Amino acid sequence: MTDPLLSAPQPRLRPGPIAIALAALLVLAAAWQWSNVLLLGFGAILIAIALRAGAAFLNRRAGIGFKPGVLLSAVAAVLLIGGVIAAAGPSISDQFRELVGSLPRAWEQVNAWLSESSIGQFLERRMEDSSSEGGGGVPADSLPSVFGYVTGTLATVFGGAANVVLLVTVAIFLALDAPMYRGGALRLVPLSYRARAGAIADELAQALARWMGGQALDMVLVALATGLGLWLLGVPLALVLGLIAGLTNIVPVVGPFVSGIPAVLFALTQGFDMAIYVALLFVVIQQVEGNLLMPLIQRYAADLPPALTVLAILAFGGLFGFAGIVLATPLLLVTIVLVKRIYVEDVLGDRQKD
């Protein structure tokens, strides 16, 4: 005979608020400790979404399955990048070496212009006054060391090839078995919230896919416009400078300044007038991109508030360094979606249309 005490439903153990708080603190501490791994995983997720998009296109057009489509998309991307490097790599390499070698000469041009202009003489007097009051100053010989720092940073970036290989490998595995990883993550969510979590996860994937598509189109157009404009102005190294402008445009607001500085410095080697023309070219391109191109792209991609974008760059850059700056925009996009769906709609109960 069955014991009624054993057959009765057992009460479910629910963690108390102290246990929940401790668990949350442990999760935050682990996330901070493994922030580099989490950022690499987030970057792999972005690449996996792109590979799945390519596989979906092949599935619609040619009826190819998703797993073969993912592999074909990865191979096509590698071949495309390899072909570009093989075709334009030697030219870009020569131009880049010429660009790095010309930066010290450009700095000398800046110093000569400052010493001859009234503004430069005023700044020089102010620096001398401050150095005499403070008992020291910045040696003139240390200023060109900035260029050595830049080249050292670039060497460090290129030295991270192993991380790139690891990133791509993880992305391919994620793209091949995306439903399995998605299902495994949802199993960690309580049953009553699982359907909602799945809908939010799908919305995040769609938002990130739209953002990546729009950002890729924007980067290509900026690179082409910058390279063409520099070529029409007769500025050498138009190819590499346009490539830098396109790549750095992945970081809103900050990227154009980063790409514009070496272009203007190099143009100084051909005269102050050329430097002004190049600076105006970058200003015009960024105004057209920010006020015309991006609004059109954002109609089909992700519309992010500019003020929050700048704050996200500062915040994630301060927390995670260069990787945080590069991934600041997609991280902000994820944060906005989670705050809207989980806090505003589920916690506050505000389900008004966005």
Side-chain angles (χ1 to χ4, degrees), residues 27 93 159 203-204 229 241:
V27 171
S93 178
E203 182 181 357
L204 285 173
L241 292 173

Side-chain angles (χ1 to χ4, degrees), residues 263-346:
V264 172
L265 287 177
F266 181 74
L268 279 171
T269 61
Q270 297 186 333
F272 186 71
D273 292 341
M274 181 62 72
I276 294 179
Y277 295 148
V278 171
L280 290 176
L281 172 67
F282 272 80
V283 170
V284 170
I285 290 175
Q286 292 307 318
Q287 288 298 314
V288 173
E289 185 263 348
N291 298 307
L292 179 62
L293 180 60
M294 279 308 295
L296 292 175
I297 293 176
Q298 286 174 347
R299 289 184 182 180
Y300 306 96
D303 189 6
L304 296 175
L308 290 182
T309 302
V310 175
L311 292 177
I313 293 172
L314 295 175
F316 290 117
L319 287 174
F320 308 120
F322 179 74
I325 294 176
V326 174
L327 297 175
T329 306
L331 286 172
L332 173 63
L333 179 60
V334 170
T335 302
I336 289 177
V337 173
L338 292 179
V339 169
K340 282 183 179 179
R341 302 301 174 231
I342 296 177
Y343 180 70
V344 175
E345 294 183 357
D346 295 344

